[in-house]
Amino acid sequence: MSKLFKKRLTTFQIIILGFSALILVGTLLLMLPVSSAGKTVTPFGDAFFTSVSAVCVTGLVVKDTATYWSVFGQTVIILLIQIGGLGVVTSAAALTLISGKKISLMQRSTMSEALTAPDVGGTVRLTLFILKSALIVEAAGALIMMPVFCRDFGPSGVWKAFFHSISAFCNAGFDIMGTPGSEYQSLTAYAQNPVISITLMLLIIVGGLGFLTWDDVRKNGFKIKRYKMQSKVIIVTSVLLIMLPAAFYFFFEFSEGSIKNRLLFSFFQAITPRTAGFNTVSLTAMSGASRALMLALMLVGGSPGSTAGGMKTTTLAVLFANTGAIFRRRNESHFFGRRIDENTIKNASAILILYLSLFLCGAIAISAIEGLPIGDCLFETASAVGTVGLTLGITPSLGTVSRLILIAFMFTGRVGGLTIAYAAFSEPDPNLSKLPKERITVG
């Protein structure tokens, strides 16, 4: 019976069920009295929201992570972040490999979908590479930040270094810097500290580039011409999405102070919206134009097959390439001498419509339910669907319905809108005939 059940499940459904099961386990663990600093049972709604946010590497919270949760609760959260960041399927496969068991063909196919790998071959090797690389990068980040945190917090600085290193690499945005009476402060105390700021920025970038891009870099080093087209597109788009917003923030938002601080503030705020969720400056004090730019960055997110969520950098690049081709009256879009498949362009358009629809409709719904300004609600929904975690401070005060909207957005942003759609409507179309074609004018 179990074998029949497994055969009926598509790889997309397995991915969704894996994330859902992990969220449920995390919720039950966070509800335990040992998980809270006050040794009380955490309400299901608060534990569920926190578990979803951790597994979906978002960072939106209804309880301050540092002051509400105990060390045990924080450990549960960081484990959920680690598994959710690497991917439930990838983490399960890694445990299977470590135990010495063989990976079945069905498991390999699911791993390939989860990693967005082009084919099934080599997924086991890629999984081991991802696991080793992630642990090495996270350990390196923790060791670099440890002297600063130990200087400020004593022995507990070791835990803070590892927690923030994993959270940054997984693009989660959870922090444990809050204190009683000063909760939800993120990393504002280290805004001018180059060691902490630069290390976190590098961890966010590396985690958000994507596992297949890492593999390309490992194989070809600095011989960029040998990279796959996708890796080239990801690198170029990521650089532009960092440099252009950073320049805007440098000249228009942080126009005062020393050059060093302005650079740290500008680059951090350009990098963290995609999709890390840390902040080193007060978001409410930033101008409307700066927050609008953040909205766009949050929706774009990281790269496919990475620890980040959002629409993905490749989606944005494909849409711009297609727009350029249309403007130049060309039939095909291309990158680096390679043609883009027509189905890829269709998928990119569908993803854009999906994310914009969720972003706008969710914000309108929350604004109507809670009576809050639409601008604040747009920021929260963009943060949720982009799995970012940046907030203007309204999430902890939201009602049940509004929280459920954000939960659905976080799950969609991490698992992927198309994955959910394919899981729900993945039956092949039995109708091979085509309807008559007729022109319709657009634009």
Side-chain angles (χ1 to χ4, degrees), residues 18-258:
F19 273 97
S20 300
L22 181 61
I23 288 170
L24 179 59
V25 171
T27 301
L28 296 176
L29 289 174
L30 290 174
M31 289 179 67
L32 297 174
V34 70
S35 293
S36 66
K39 305 303 177 187
T40 58
V41 176
T42 300
F44 176 82
D46 293 344
F48 183 57
F49 191 99
T50 304
S51 182
V52 172
S53 185
V55 172
C56 298
V57 290
T58 305
L60 287 175
V61 295
V62 291
K63 299 290 185 183
D64 182 63
T65 311
T67 57
Y68 181 83
W69 302 105
S70 65
V71 174
F72 178 82
Q74 293 171 7
T75 302
V76 171
I77 289 172
I78 205 64
L79 287 175
L80 294 176
I81 289 171
Q82 183 74 89
I83 297 171
L86 295 180
V88 175
V89 176
T90 304
S91 301
L95 289 175
T96 303
L97 291 170
I98 291 171
S99 65
K101 296 180 181 179
K102 293 184 178 180
I103 304 293
S104 66
L105 183 60
M106 178 61 180
Q107 290 173 315
R108 292 171 189 262
S109 176
T110 306
M111 290 162 58
S112 177
E113 291 288 353
L115 296 171
T116 64
D119 49 59
V120 177
T123 51
V124 173
R125 177 197 58 78
L126 180 60
T127 300
L128 289 173
F129 168 71
I130 291 169
L131 185 63
K132 293 177 182 177
S133 301
L135 294 177
I136 291 172
V137 172
E138 288 170 349
L143 290 173
I144 292 171
M145 293 187 290
M146 201 176 295
V148 177
F149 285 137
C150 286
R151 179 199 67 193
D152 296 341
F153 301 100
S156 65
V158 176
W159 173 237
K160 290 185 184 294
F162 276 98
F163 187 98
H164 291 101
S165 181
I166 295 171
S167 183
F169 175 79
C170 292
N171 280 226
F174 277 80
D175 71 89
I176 49 175
M177 302 304 297
T179 57
S182 183
E183 294 85 1
Y184 309 109
Q185 61 176 304
S186 192
L187 292 156
T188 51
Y190 292 92
Q192 300 179 30
N193 189 304
V195 174
I196 301 299
S197 293
I198 293 174
T199 302
L200 290 176
M201 284 190 279
L202 291 175
L203 287 168
I204 294 167
I205 292 170
V206 172
L209 278 178
F211 306 133
L212 294 177
T213 307
W214 297 1
D215 197 42
D216 233 355
V217 174
R218 181 187 66 85
K219 288 178 181 177
N220 301 304
F222 292 103
K223 299 175 182 176
I224 298 177
K225 289 185 177 180
R226 295 185 181 180
Y227 287 9
K228 295 183 178 68
M229 180 186 73
Q230 175 166 303
S231 298
K232 293 178 182 177
V233 170
I234 287 173
I235 292 172
V236 171
T237 307
S238 297
V239 169
L240 290 175
L241 287 174
I242 292 172
M243 299 304 296
L244 295 179
F248 174 87
Y249 289 132
F250 183 84
F251 289 108
F252 297 103
E253 183 64 38
F254 308 113
S255 57
E256 298 179 358
S258 67

Side-chain angles (χ1 to χ4, degrees), residues 145-392:
M145 293 187 290
M146 201 176 295
V148 177
F149 285 137
C150 286
R151 179 199 67 193
D152 296 341
F153 301 100
S156 65
V158 176
W159 173 237
K160 290 185 184 294
F162 276 98
F163 187 98
H164 291 101
S165 181
I166 295 171
S167 183
F169 175 79
C170 292
N171 280 226
F174 277 80
D175 71 89
I176 49 175
M177 302 304 297
T179 57
S182 183
E183 294 85 1
Y184 309 109
Q185 61 176 304
S186 192
L187 292 156
T188 51
Y190 292 92
Q192 300 179 30
N193 189 304
V195 174
I196 301 299
S197 293
I198 293 174
T199 302
L200 290 176
M201 284 190 279
L202 291 175
L203 287 168
I204 294 167
I205 292 170
V206 172
L209 278 178
F211 306 133
L212 294 177
T213 307
W214 297 1
D215 197 42
D216 233 355
V217 174
R218 181 187 66 85
K219 288 178 181 177
N220 301 304
F222 292 103
K223 299 175 182 176
I224 298 177
K225 289 185 177 180
R226 295 185 181 180
Y227 287 9
K228 295 183 178 68
M229 180 186 73
Q230 175 166 303
S231 298
K232 293 178 182 177
V233 170
I234 287 173
I235 292 172
V236 171
T237 307
S238 297
V239 169
L240 290 175
L241 287 174
I242 292 172
M243 299 304 296
L244 295 179
F248 174 87
Y249 289 132
F250 183 84
F251 289 108
F252 297 103
E253 183 64 38
F254 308 113
S255 57
E256 298 179 358
S258 67
I259 298 295
K260 184 200 79 171
N261 288 341
R262 290 173 63 192
L263 287 172
L264 284 177
F265 298 163
S266 299
F267 275 100
F268 201 93
Q269 300 312 314
I271 291 169
T272 194
R274 302 179 34 251
T275 60
F278 295 116
N279 63 285
T280 55
V281 298
S282 173
L283 299 182
T284 55
M286 296 181 73
S287 66
S290 295
R291 291 206 296 267
L293 178 57
M294 277 190 170
L295 283 178
L297 294 173
M298 287 193 288
L299 288 173
V300 173
S303 301
S306 71
T307 62
M311 289 192 304
K312 303 295 187 294
T313 53
T314 47
T315 302
L316 180 69
V318 167
L319 291 170
F320 268 102
N322 186 51
T323 302
I326 292 172
F327 287 169
R328 289 177 289 177
R329 300 178 69 89
R330 292 185 177 179
N331 293 327
E332 296 175 340
S333 308
H334 59 84
F335 288 120
F336 304 103
R338 295 289 185 273
R339 178 170 50 88
I340 304 172
D341 181 67
E342 187 176 343
N343 285 331
T344 302
I345 298 173
K346 291 180 180 178
N347 288 342
S349 301
I351 291 169
L352 176 65
I353 295 298
L354 173 65
Y355 274 79
L356 288 180
S357 299
L358 291 174
F359 159 65
L360 291 171
C361 294
I364 292 170
I366 292 175
S367 179
I369 294 168
E370 306 290 341
L372 294 170
I374 187 66
D376 292 352
C377 297
L378 285 169
F379 198 92
E380 302 296 305
T381 54
S383 182
V385 79
T387 69
V388 181
L390 291 174
T391 177
L392 295 179

